[in-house]
Amino acid sequence: MLNQQILMQQLQQVRQTGPLVHCMTNDVVVNFTANVLLAIGASPAMVMAREESVPFARIASSLLVNVGTLTPELADSIKAAVIAAHEAGKPWVLDPVAYGVLDFRTRFCDGLLQYRPAVIRGNAAEIAAMGGQKSLSKGTDSLTSSNEVLECARQLARQHQTVVAMTGQTDYVTDGVSTYALDNGHEQLTRITGAGCSLSAMVAAYCAVCETPLLAALAALSHMGIAGELAAGRTRAVGSFAVALLDELDLLAQNGVQQLQCQQV
Ligand code: ATP
Ligand code: TZP
Ligand code: MG
Ligand code: MG
């Protein structure tokens, strides 16, 4: 499904097309997410207001919804944008930050699922909770490992006819029928804020240009995972790692793509 050549093609598609990604994300990661999208060649636009979210969802190439710092006002605006994207046939991606930990955001995410996200991207605890299984987390961070809850991810994808991209030490991407394991990445990605949130924005960018959401999720997760490895290989600690990550997302080319670790499971 994903090999080095196909990954290079998807990377180039994003760089050549420059998809406009409507980001409705949390307050913590706004700037980092915009920089990550710019680094991969996409165009970020953070449009949150109720008065603007619907017209912008119609214009944008894709929409990212992240509930990390949800408020009642933002929830109304996000719901309207999701309906607009759904009606306009634009792909949208759900990042259910801390799903299952807090009731308001959990119920809100549940209510969005009828509008068919192209991809749900979350950590293992979030995906397990969405699939109805007990999971452990510490605030927004997962304490559950992805391989423990793989069957849950598959079920979630089948139940909502979507693609589930579950990240962790090993990332899994599944549409409920085919499942892929991605073994790129680096522990440093867990030590900066916004790696997961900006990865979900990358998935939205790839959804705008890739033939299927499954391919989009595989390409985006591989791009982030390999860039994380390259960045960790040439930095000493987390501050410079975050900067180097942007460089490696920008520069990723054939020699880095050779590190791709993707297999069907
Ligand atoms: P959390 O909310 O728990 O911080 P997250 O939403 O930030 O999670 P992660 O699961 O940390 O998302 O995934 C972000 C990136 O970090 C992905 O590319 C993933 O492959 C990578 N990653 C996460 N954990 C590890 C790990 N232990 N080793 C290597 N890469 C990892
Ligand atoms: N608090 C609310 S959202 C958020 C924090 C710290 C960011 C979570 O970022 P990520 O990408 O899931 O690690
Ligand atoms: Mg994280
Ligand atoms: Mg997260």
Side-chain angles (χ1 to χ4, degrees), residues 95 97 121-124 126 140-143 166-171 182 184-190 192 194-197 199 221 224-225:
D95 186 329
V97 179
R121 200 300 307 172
N123 65 40
E126 290 153 356
T140 62
D141 290 335
S142 177
L143 299 176
M166 173 171 64
T167 54
Q169 183 165 14
T170 299
D171 298 337
L182 298 164
N184 292 110
H186 194 278
E187 186 266 334
Q188 290 278 48
L189 287 164
T190 67
I192 60 168
C197 299
L199 174 57
L221 269 57
M224 177 61 91

Side-chain angles (χ1 to χ4, degrees), residues 199-236:
L199 174 57
S200 299
M202 287 174 61
V203 175
Y206 274 89
C207 277
V209 303
C210 294
E211 255 174 46
T212 63
L214 188 71
L215 179 57
L218 287 169
L221 269 57
S222 304
H223 191 168
M224 177 61 91
I226 296 169
E229 288 173 10
L230 294 169
R234 64 179 183 79
T235 49
R236 282 180 57 232

Side-chain angles (χ1 to χ4, degrees), residues 73-262:
E73 296 73 27
L74 182 60
D76 287 348
S77 184
I78 288 176
K79 186 167 182 191
V82 162
I83 292 170
H86 178 69
E87 287 175 356
K90 302 288 174 82
W92 69 279
V93 171
L94 177 62
D95 186 329
V97 179
Y99 182 102
V101 179
L102 295 161
D103 275 353
F104 173 56
R105 63 182 69 193
T106 299
R107 277 184 278 112
F108 178 69
C109 289
D110 288 341
L112 292 183
L113 291 173
Q114 61 186 300
Y115 304 108
R116 297 279 306 276
V119 178
I120 302 171
R121 200 300 307 172
N123 65 40
E126 290 153 356
I127 298 302
M130 281 195 105
Q133 192 171 313
K134 275 221 159 112
S135 61
L136 275 180
S137 44
K138 182 174 169 189
T140 62
D141 290 335
S142 177
L143 299 176
T144 300
S145 110
S146 54
N147 52 14
E148 287 167 29
V149 293
L150 177 55
E151 200 40 50
C152 209
R154 285 199 181 99
Q155 258 175 41
L156 180 66
R158 278 195 294 269
Q159 188 185 348
H160 298 287
Q161 291 171 35
T162 186
V163 167
V164 171
M166 173 171 64
T167 54
Q169 183 165 14
T170 299
D171 298 337
Y172 294 98
V173 175
T174 181
D175 61 6
V177 180
S178 308
T179 303
Y180 298 85
L182 298 164
D183 272 312
N184 292 110
H186 194 278
E187 186 266 334
Q188 290 278 48
L189 287 164
T190 67
R191 304 207 45 228
I192 60 168
T193 193
C197 299
S198 61
L199 174 57
S200 299
M202 287 174 61
V203 175
Y206 274 89
C207 277
V209 303
C210 294
E211 255 174 46
T212 63
L214 188 71
L215 179 57
L218 287 169
L221 269 57
S222 304
H223 191 168
M224 177 61 91
I226 296 169
E229 288 173 10
L230 294 169
R234 64 179 183 79
T235 49
R236 282 180 57 232
V238 290
S240 49
F241 172 76
V243 176
L245 180 62
L246 295 174
D247 288 347
E248 299 300 342
L249 287 168
D250 178 12
L251 296 172
L252 187 60
Q254 186 58 49
N255 55 342
V257 162
Q258 283 170 5
Q259 293 181 203
L260 176 67
Q261 298 279 346
C262 174

